[in-house]
Amino acid sequence: MQTQKNIWLDCKISPNIIYKTHQALTPDGFLNLNTMASSLKNLSVYKEEQIPSLASYSFGFVVADWNEDITHALYQGALETLLKHGAKEENIHLIQVPGAFELPQGARFLIANHKVDAVIGLGCVIKGETSHNEYINNAVALGLTNLGLNSGVPCTFGLLTPNDHQQAVDRAGGKYGNKGIEAAITAIRMAELKKSSKSQNTKIGF
């Protein structure tokens, strides 16, 4: 009988944020990639000292109603994070859409009707018995990415893609934290990056 080996890895998720994770190896010495990435860290953990005051920022939420017990928990976590760092309620806009597939379209409506610094898309697609989740997840990721690139407004991907409902609960305020908080922090950092890049006169070339 072979004993499972484990190693410690330094995982760099940004120039300033590195977390250490205990990762299992397969019997032949390869990394075991069957573990969901979010189980390697807590989604609610971030460095508060790196977050600016949000008093002058405006944010938009697009939240899917499908699996509302999960998506509403994601929204609550994200909203509380924005308010905690000084965002004003009147500068936070919300659009609710039927399901995750409609998140990009809802985000487009929001950008067209409100001047926002970033959009936070929140949804949950549970795998189930068919491969519908793959089509939806890919469409949402591509849609939000393209919208962000074309509009210049950062659109963050706060979509949970679990295998079952319990995995979703674990990542919506459960033992692995709240992906809504992670999505909010990503939106804050991208909005700050956009504003700071405008004030820098950076030239590329020789």
Side-chain angles (χ1 to χ4, degrees):
M1 182 177 179
Q2 293 177 307
T3 303
Q4 178 175 279
K5 297 180 179 179
N6 298 274
I7 60 173
W8 286 98
L9 294 177
D10 285 334
C11 297
K12 188 173 184 179
I13 58 177
S14 80
N16 299 318
I17 301 178
I18 299 176
Y19 68 91
K20 190 174 288 291
T21 179
H22 197 233
Q23 180 65 53
L25 296 178
T26 61
D28 53 2
F30 292 99
L31 283 174
N32 184 353
L33 300 180
N34 291 325
T35 303
M36 293 186 71
S38 55
S39 67
L40 303 179
K41 65 186 182 76
N42 190 305
L43 297 167
S44 300
V45 175
Y46 62 95
K47 294 184 177 181
E48 294 190 19
E49 65 273 14
Q50 295 180 351
I51 306 302
S53 169
L54 303 180
S56 63
Y57 286 78
S58 179
F59 294 92
F61 279 103
V62 185
V63 182
D65 285 335
W66 194 258
N67 293 316
E68 64 178 15
D69 61 318
I70 301 299
T71 62
H72 289 186
L74 297 176
Y75 169 68
Q76 193 62 38
L79 177 62
E80 290 175 357
T81 300
L82 297 183
L83 296 175
K84 176 181 179 180
H85 292 286
K88 299 177 181 178
E89 291 188 14
E90 59 267 29
N91 292 335
I92 298 175
H93 310 281
L94 170 66
I95 288 181
Q96 292 180 263
V97 294
F101 190 79
E102 291 76 35
L103 286 173
Q105 189 70 67
R108 186 172 183 271
F109 294 155
L110 199 154
I111 291 173
N113 291 288
H114 300 281
K115 184 175 176 58
V116 293
D117 295 300
V119 173
I120 303 168
L122 301 174
C124 176
V125 180
I126 299 175
K127 185 175 181 180
E129 297 180 354
T130 68
S131 59
H132 75 287
N133 61 303
E134 297 178 11
Y135 298 103
I136 296 175
N137 299 341
N138 289 336
V140 174
L142 185 61
L144 290 176
T145 298
N146 286 337
L147 179 62
L149 292 173
N150 293 330
S151 67
V153 177
C155 298
T156 65
F157 185 78
L159 182 70
L160 282 177
T161 60
N163 293 319
D164 55 50
H165 186 267
Q166 185 57 52
Q167 287 183 346
V169 171
D170 291 341
R171 291 157 177 81
K175 62 181 180 180
Y176 295 130
N178 191 320
K179 190 171 181 63
I181 295 177
E182 181 190 60
I185 295 301
T186 301
I188 293 169
R189 295 188 63 188
M190 290 302 294
E192 180 190 22
L193 178 61
K194 180 182 178 182
K195 284 194 174 185
S196 63
S197 65
K198 286 183 178 180
S199 63
Q200 298 175 0
N201 185 19
T202 304
K203 294 183 179 180
I204 299 176
F206 300 95

